[in-house]
Every structure is written in C-alpha cells, then in structure tokens.
Amino acid sequence: MSERTLGRLFQKQTQMSFRQWRQRARLLAALPQLQDQQSVTEVALACGYDSTSAFIAAFRQLFGRTPGQFLRARAAATSLS
C-alpha cells in the first residue's frame, strides 16, 4: 500500500489527517501530566513540542483554552461536586 493510499484510508476512517490525529493524541497524553502539576514547559517538551508557546497554541486550538485555564476550570468543577 502506498503512503498516499494509507493517508486517504486513515482520513476516511478517522475523519482527520494523521497529523491531526497525532497532535490530538499528544495533547490528550499531556492531560495526566498537567493534572499531576508538572509545569507546562516540562509537559510540552515531554510531548515532543519544540517550545512551550507551540504547545499552548495547539492546546488552545483543541480544547478552546490554555492549559492553565483548562486545569482551573477542571478544578472548579471538581470542587463543586
């Protein structure tokens, strides 16, 4: 199977490109690290990002808020229950 064929099949079955899927997987893998109160810089580098700002931008694009905002909202929701 060619790379292009594989790319088309991946897109058809997941409704996203491999690049989008990989970015989403990296950001989802970052959540437990952030919840363990690791610094955003440590998490960004551990997830393969070249810079903290690139990580924050990707995180905001996927989740609609920065890692700090995300964790504060999650902590507030947890404290209400």
Side-chain angles (χ1 to χ4, degrees):
M1 173 180 305
S2 74
E3 184 177 336
R4 288 185 67 183
T5 300
L6 180 60
R8 283 193 296 270
L9 286 172
F10 193 92
Q11 175 80 34
K12 183 177 179 181
Q13 292 183 5
T14 64
Q15 303 301 311
M16 63 182 83
S17 68
F18 178 75
R19 182 177 182 220
Q20 292 168 319
W21 176 86
R22 184 183 66 181
Q23 183 178 52
R24 180 174 288 209
R26 291 163 68 186
L27 292 170
L28 290 172
L31 291 177
Q33 296 173 47
L34 290 168
Q35 289 173 331
D36 287 342
Q37 298 181 344
Q38 291 184 29
S39 75
V40 173
T41 300
E42 289 174 334
V43 175
L45 295 175
C47 290
Y49 284 86
D50 292 331
S51 69
T52 304
S53 60
F55 173 76
I56 292 170
F59 194 96
R60 180 182 288 149
Q61 184 178 12
L62 180 62
F63 296 111
R65 53 185 69 166
T66 66
Q69 292 169 337
F70 184 86
L71 290 174
R72 282 190 293 278
R74 192 168 179 117
T78 302
S79 67
L80 293 176
S81 49

